[in-house]
Amino acid sequence: MPKDPARGDGPVVRHDRDDARYVRRGPESPAATPTATPVDEPRATAGTAGSPAVGTAAGAPPGGAVPAAKRAARRPGRAVPIALIAVAALLLLALAAFATTLIVVSQQAEGNPFRDRALFVDPDSNAARAAEGSGSDEQREAAARIAASPTAIWLTPERVLPGTASATVADTVAQAEAAGALPVFVVYGITDRDCGGFSSGGLPRDEYLDWVDEIADGLGDRRSIVVLEPDSLALASECPDPDARTALVRSALARFSGTGAAVYLDGGHSAWLPAAAMAESLRAAGVDEARGFATNVSNAQATDDEAAYAARVSEALGGAHAIIDTSRNGAGPPADGEWCNAPGLALGEEPHALDDRVVDAVLWVKPPGESDGTCNGGPPAGTWWPEQAVELVANADRLAGGS
Ligand code: BGC
C-alpha cells in the first residue's frame, strides 16, 4: 500500500493557515477553563461518618462525665509535662502527615503503567537504520543519538498490513518482554486519517476495527502502552462526520479491554482546543475506559504548558491520567505557530516516568527525525529526514550548552 497517498501530499492540503495547528492561540478564556473544585482535600481531612466527634475522648463514660478522682489523676501536675505532651502531639501530627503522603505517593505509583520498567528501545527504528546507513558522519551521529532513546512504534496500515498486524505486534511485545522493557505503540490507521492532511489514509470502518482487533490480539495480556489515533479527536470538527469519528475511536478503544495495554486517547495540545472542549470530546470517546490521554503528539509546546493543560483536562474528566510528547519541544513552539516540520526545534526532555498525580510520563511519541509531511522541504510524512535529525540534535546541544 502506498504510503501517504497523493491526496495528502498533493494539492489537497488542509493544513493551510486556517488549520487549527497553525494558529497560535492565546491563552484560553477563563470561561473555557473549568472552575477548580478540589475533590480530595475535604474528604482527606474530614472524619468518616460515624467516627467520634473531634475532642471526644475514647472510652469516656456516656454523657462525658468523668469522676473527680479520675479527672485529678489525669490532670498534668506541672508545666514541663504539658510541654512534653504538646511536643509529642506535634510529632504525632507530623508523623501522620508523612504517612499520608507516603500512602498517596505509593497509590499514584501503583497505578502508573510506566512504573518499574524501562522503556523499550526499538532496534529496528528508522533512526537505528539511519545510524548504520550511508549518510554523513554528522547525520549518522544524530541518528545514533536519537536511536539510543526509546521512541514510540507507530502502527500504520501502510507499514503493518492488515493480516500481518497480530504477528508483527506480538513479535515486538516479545522482544520488549525479553528485554524487561515496556513497548509504546501508536495506533494510526483510523478511517479518513488526518482528514485530508499530510498523513491522509486509513482503513474503511470495518477493516479498521478488524485491524485493531489484530493489534489487540498481538498485544495479549503483556504490559504495553497504546497511544490511540493522534489528532483524531482534536481534529474531528474539521472532518466530515465528527460524531462518527468519535464513535469509531470509542469502538477501537473497547477492542483493547482485556489486553495488558494502558491506553491513552489523543488530547491535542495546550495551544489547540480549550481544555473543557477537549475533555468533552475525550469523554465522548470513552476516556473513562482508558488510562487517560496524550498531549503534544508531534507538536512542540513547552512541557510546563502541557502539564498545566493536562491537569485542566484531567480535572474536567475527574482524574484521567496523561502522557506528554517531548520528542521535539526542547526549544518550545516556533513563534509563528508552525507545526509542520517547523525549523528551529530541538529534542526535548528524555522519556521517563513521573510520580505525578496527572502526568504518568514524558515520552518521545513522534520519533524525532521523521518528517511531518511534504512541508517546509520535508519528505512524505513518516520518512526519515537526516537534515531534521541533525537540526534537532544540534539545537538541543546548543540549548544544553547555554548558547
Ligand atoms: C505519519 C506516519 C508516521 C508517523 C511517525 C505520521 O505523521 O503519517 O506514517 O509513522 O508520523 O513519524
Side-chain angles (χ1 to χ4, degrees), residues 76-95:
R78 299 275 179 277
V80 173
I82 289 177
L84 275 178
I85 288 168
V87 168
L90 278 176
L91 279 175
L92 276 176
L93 276 177
L95 200 66

Side-chain angles (χ1 to χ4, degrees), residues 3-4 126 152-156 158-159 186 188 193-194 198-200 230-231 298 328 339 365-373 380-384:
K3 187 150 174 3
D4 299 307
N126 278 340
I153 298 164
W154 287 60
L155 306 174
T156 64
E158 293 89 341
R159 284 189 197 143
V186 178
Y188 195 49
R193 188 185 63 198
D194 210 19
F198 292 114
S199 291
S200 288
D231 293 353
S298 306
R328 45 190 180 162
W339 69 270
V365 179
K366 170 83 184 182
E370 294 187 12
S371 173
D372 294 324
T383 307
W384 181 255

